Amino acid sequence: MIKRREEFYEESGLTESVTIPVRFSEVDSLGIVWDGHYILYFEQGREAFGKTYGIDYMTVQKAGYTTPIVKSTCEHKLPLRYGDTARIVTTYVDTPAAKMIFRFNIYNGKDQLVCQGETIQVFLDDTQNLALNVPDFVVDWKRKVGLL
């Protein structure tokens, strides 16, 4: 039997937090946030992280890449309701592979963990080919933020 090596990814210490209101359009007939909206909350967390650390979508696009999500996980702990506030804490997970990994913790106004998850994004070049090596602009970014 071939044993696969367990992947090891370490949180980098690069974290960003953003607080958003839960809107009426995000709740279902039970009055709680519909589960699909948590993925949108992850997106808001990634956008806030990117703006803070200089690795936003426009920077990636200017470098000639896109970063589609290839995997996402979402584990629900408690419900969010209309009128609540949600604090999305986004952490970059450093990896030597040509991908970006983000972990998310979402808290309610009482600072209770309501959801946690992760997304993995890969790099596609301007001809939609998968980058097998970490793009140069990402290596430069990692140096700038102290990961290399």
Side-chain angles (χ1 to χ4, degrees):
M1 178 167 87
I2 298 173
K3 186 175 180 179
R4 297 183 80 189
R5 188 177 71 138
E6 188 174 329
E7 296 180 10
F8 178 75
Y9 301 115
E10 189 172 323
E11 291 188 3
S12 64
L14 301 180
T15 300
E16 179 59 20
S17 179
V18 61
T19 301
I20 60 168
V22 173
R23 300 173 295 186
F24 180 75
S25 62
E26 297 167 344
V27 300
D28 61 17
S29 60
L30 300 174
I32 61 174
V33 170
W34 176 66
D35 59 330
H37 287 297
Y38 288 90
I39 299 297
L40 295 173
Y41 296 163
F42 292 174
E43 177 73 22
Q44 288 179 278
R46 279 192 309 274
E47 284 189 45
F49 180 94
K51 288 178 183 175
T52 297
Y53 289 99
I55 192 78
D56 58 282
Y57 291 117
M58 295 305 291
T59 300
V60 172
Q61 190 176 39
K62 286 177 187 173
Y65 290 88
T66 57
T67 54
I69 293 174
V70 295
K71 182 179 180 182
S72 60
T73 60
C74 185
E75 186 177 342
H76 304 276
K77 307 288 187 182
L78 294 170
L80 282 172
R81 300 179 184 282
Y82 173 65
D84 285 347
T85 57
R87 182 170 52 92
I88 307 158
V89 178
T90 305
T91 302
Y92 177 76
V93 179
D94 196 16
T95 173
K99 56 185 161 185
M100 296 182 77
I101 303 170
F102 292 96
R103 290 196 180 131
F104 307 92
N105 286 325
I106 300 178
Y107 299 91
N108 63 19
K110 297 177 183 175
D111 209 31
Q112 297 169 307
L113 180 66
V114 298
C115 179
Q116 58 190 156
E118 182 178 278
T119 59
I120 299 175
Q121 296 168 262
V122 296
F123 296 97
L124 298 181
D125 65 19
D126 56 1
T127 58
Q128 300 300 299
N129 290 312
L130 178 66
L132 300 178
N133 297 309
V134 179
D136 289 341
F137 83 96
V138 177
V139 173
D140 294 341
W141 173 76
K142 285 185 174 190
R143 278 193 190 104
K144 181 180 175 185
V145 297
L147 296 177
L148 291 180

